[in-house]
Amino acid sequence: MPKDKEEKERKKIAELRSRLHDILKVEYEDYDLRKWLKARSFDVDKAELMFRNSTAYKKKIKVETLMSEYEKPEVVKRYLTGGFCGHDKDGSPIRVELYGHLDMKGLMASCRRSDLEKTKVMQCEWTVQEWKRMGEKLGRRVDGLTVIMDMEGVTTRMMWRPGMQMYLHLVKVLEDNYPEMLKRLFVINAPAIFPILYKLARPLISDEMRNKIHVLGSNYKNDLLKYIDADQLPAFLGGTLTDPDGDPRCKTMICQGGDVPEKYYQDVRALYEQMGSVTIAAGTVHTREVIVNQPGATLTWAFRSEEYDMGFGVQLVQDSGKAHFLVPLQRVNSHLVAEDGAVVCDQPGTYKLVFDNSFSWTRAKKVYYEYDIIAVDADYVRSEISDLVEAGDWDTLEQKFETTHL
């Protein structure tokens, strides 16, 4: 780093320390203060506000006693995917996230938002403690977190807007309270809808964070071993680390997630009261027209009916005025489990969400629903993602990587 830049940073660190004298612990190092400044592009005013807001938030959730006193709900322990396993070649902790196995909708129906926040904060607190432990063991500073985001199993259900918003909210909580914690993020088994998911997450991805993201192709196991020794990498990811019983998925370290059983559900209604709603009279059909202007856009939907099942399908209205079903009309148990899905709109036009109650001659049914049209600026998004691909570009990766197809 040039001396003049280093001197400017040193002065800003000193200024920030002076401003935070009333709440800053004596042992807080300049190295750590620099993270808050870097997270706010070395704007001292913004860094101070960020630090004070974080201090207030951590006080509110009692972060100092969180690790010893807070008991995570059973559903969070069993179904919030991911876990820590091993260390990279620098000694930094490794966290594996099984995004494709995450049932965010089930978790949101089964626990409070604060439970998810506290659990994520605990993960960060554990990371900070692990830095100290490894630093003492290795006799040098240890920092950063290496994350492996395994997207195997990701489908359009991950595009459910409330779930995506909750996931991004948790990411923001971590960014706002543990700046510059992430060292590297490896994305493996990227699905065909990765560009759409990336676009939805892009507002929270700073340029600094974007430089830490690496999208790996089918040779990801060899790529991971460049940064992680084999005995520190789970066997299912190409290493030799297993559970004591030889399980290559390291289930004692990494929560495998899966669909949350309904026995854990507490407040399903809260998930849907923010949606639109309609009462469909007995023996009738209700349609909701959606205009799609951009070919290749993705139409997503989610709905739940009260008490009884519902017929559902998706139509495309042709220029002649005739309509044909892209998603066949069928009865679904949407009163038991919310229905969601998506379809790629190959051509612009009018699409119809069809809610069919014609088979019920005595019961009107209330349906909570929402839909969204996600159009991706193909050139912009693909170009940006190609910059993240470790070798080659996204188009090549998508063609070669079998798991990119739904």
Side-chain angles (χ1 to χ4, degrees):
M1 180 188 300
K3 286 188 177 181
D4 57 338
K5 183 178 180 181
E6 184 177 353
E7 180 62 20
K8 287 181 180 179
E9 287 191 6
R10 189 188 64 77
K11 288 181 178 179
K12 289 192 174 186
I13 292 172
E15 181 181 353
L16 182 59
R17 179 177 293 280
S18 176
R19 291 193 187 189
L20 296 173
H21 74 277
D22 57 317
I23 58 173
L24 197 63
K25 294 181 179 180
V26 176
E27 65 271 19
Y28 213 86
E29 298 182 18
D30 286 355
Y31 180 88
D32 298 306
L33 278 178
R34 186 182 183 278
K35 292 182 180 182
W36 298 86
L37 283 163
K38 188 175 181 180
R40 290 297 180 264
S41 301
F42 287 88
D43 185 313
V44 179
D45 292 336
K46 292 180 180 179
E48 179 189 0
L49 179 62
M50 181 186 184
F51 193 96
R52 289 188 180 279
N53 287 342
S54 175
T55 300
Y57 174 77
K58 289 176 179 177
K59 182 177 181 180
K60 177 182 176 182
I61 66 171
K62 301 179 180 179
V63 71
E64 292 186 351
T65 58
L66 204 59
M67 297 288 282
S68 59
E69 297 182 1
Y70 174 68
E71 182 68 22
K72 292 181 288 187
E74 179 181 343
V75 67
V76 174
K77 293 178 182 178
R78 289 179 176 270
Y79 294 97
L80 184 58
T81 56
F84 293 95
C85 57
H87 302 81
D88 65 19
K89 292 184 178 182
D90 297 324
S92 302
I94 299 168
R95 183 167 181 85
V96 175
E97 295 287 354
L98 304 178
Y99 188 64
H101 297 186
L102 177 65
D103 179 12
M104 184 57 82
K105 184 181 295 181
L107 286 168
M108 289 171 66
S110 306
C111 67
R112 296 171 298 180
R113 170 168 155 164
S114 60
D115 290 316
L116 296 174
E117 288 186 6
K118 288 179 180 178
T119 300
K120 286 298 182 180
V121 168
M122 287 175 67
Q123 293 171 5
C124 290
E125 286 293 309
W126 183 91
T127 301
V128 173
Q129 293 179 11
E130 188 66 2
W131 289 343
K132 183 178 180 180
R133 189 186 74 82
M134 288 297 293
E136 292 173 350
K137 176 181 177 180
L138 299 176
R140 55 176 171 78
R141 184 189 299 278
V142 173
D143 199 6
L145 175 66
T146 290
V147 177
I148 302 171
M149 176 74 76
D150 186 356
M151 303 191 79
E152 181 183 23
V154 167
T155 65
T156 53
R157 67 181 291 190
M158 301 302 179
M159 293 162 59
W160 182 59
R161 180 74 68 169
M164 190 70 179
Q165 289 173 340
M166 173 59 76
Y167 191 84
L168 295 178
H169 166 72
L170 296 176
V171 171
K172 189 174 187 303
V173 167
L174 304 192
E175 288 293 307
D176 287 348
N177 294 282
Y178 299 88
E180 298 300 309
M181 175 172 278
L182 180 68
K183 180 166 68 174
R184 299 187 191 94
L185 170 61
F186 295 111
V187 178
I188 64 173
N189 294 322
I193 61 172
F194 181 67
I196 297 175
L197 296 174
Y198 180 80
K199 178 185 177 181
L200 294 174
R202 185 62 178 90
L204 287 181
I205 301 176
S206 65
D207 290 339
E208 184 70 27
M209 180 184 290
R210 189 164 64 91
N211 293 333
K212 300 175 182 178
I213 301 175
H214 307 269
V215 181
L216 306 183
S218 56
N219 197 39
Y220 68 81
K221 294 180 179 180
N222 289 335
D223 289 329
L224 292 176
L225 289 171
K226 295 176 184 177
Y227 301 91
I228 304 168
D229 290 328
D231 64 350
Q232 299 293 301
L233 182 66
F236 80 99
L237 297 176
T240 60
L241 181 65
T242 66
D243 271 341
D245 64 357
D247 189 336
R249 293 195 66 84
C250 301
K251 293 177 182 176
T252 62
M253 295 175 268
I254 305 169
C255 177
Q256 301 294 302
D259 291 340
V260 176
E262 290 185 30
K263 68 177 183 178
Y264 288 107
Y265 285 13
Q266 297 177 356
D267 187 12
V268 176
R269 183 183 295 270
L271 293 178
Y272 306 105
E273 287 183 339
Q274 302 303 315
M275 295 181 174
S277 64
V278 61
T279 298
I280 304 173
T284 66
V285 174
H286 175 80
T287 62
R288 178 65 59 175
E289 290 191 353
V290 183
I291 306 299
V292 177
N293 296 315
Q294 180 177 321
T298 300
L299 170 62
T300 70
W301 62 85
F303 68 93
R304 185 180 180 93
S305 55
E306 287 189 345
E307 298 183 352
Y308 303 102
D309 63 351
M310 176 61 59
F312 179 78
V314 179
Q315 291 181 324
L316 169 62
V317 181
Q318 299 172 327
D319 293 338
S320 63
K322 293 183 179 181
H324 69 276
F325 279 97
L326 298 177
V327 177
L329 186 66
Q330 61 179 335
R331 291 172 66 171
V332 294
N333 293 321
S334 53
H335 61 304
L336 299 176
V337 180
E339 285 289 321
D340 56 67
V343 63
V344 176
C345 304
D346 293 326
Q347 62 187 77
T350 300
Y351 292 74
K352 286 185 177 181
L353 304 180
V354 181
F355 298 95
D356 181 14
N357 195 32
S358 62
F359 57 86
S360 178
W361 291 101
T362 59
R363 297 188 180 97
K365 298 173 185 175
K366 186 172 185 177
V367 176
Y368 294 96
Y369 69 92
E370 66 178 1
Y371 61 87
D372 200 2
I373 303 168
I374 305 174
V376 176
D377 183 333
D379 292 336
Y380 166 73
V381 173
R382 285 177 177 270
S383 173
E384 188 160 304
I385 292 177
S386 290
D387 290 340
L388 309 179
V389 175
E390 191 75 1
D393 55 53
W394 172 252
D395 290 333
T396 303
L397 179 65
E398 188 177 19
Q399 292 171 9
K400 291 183 177 180
F401 208 177
E402 293 182 1
T403 57
T404 61
H405 302 289
L406 296 176

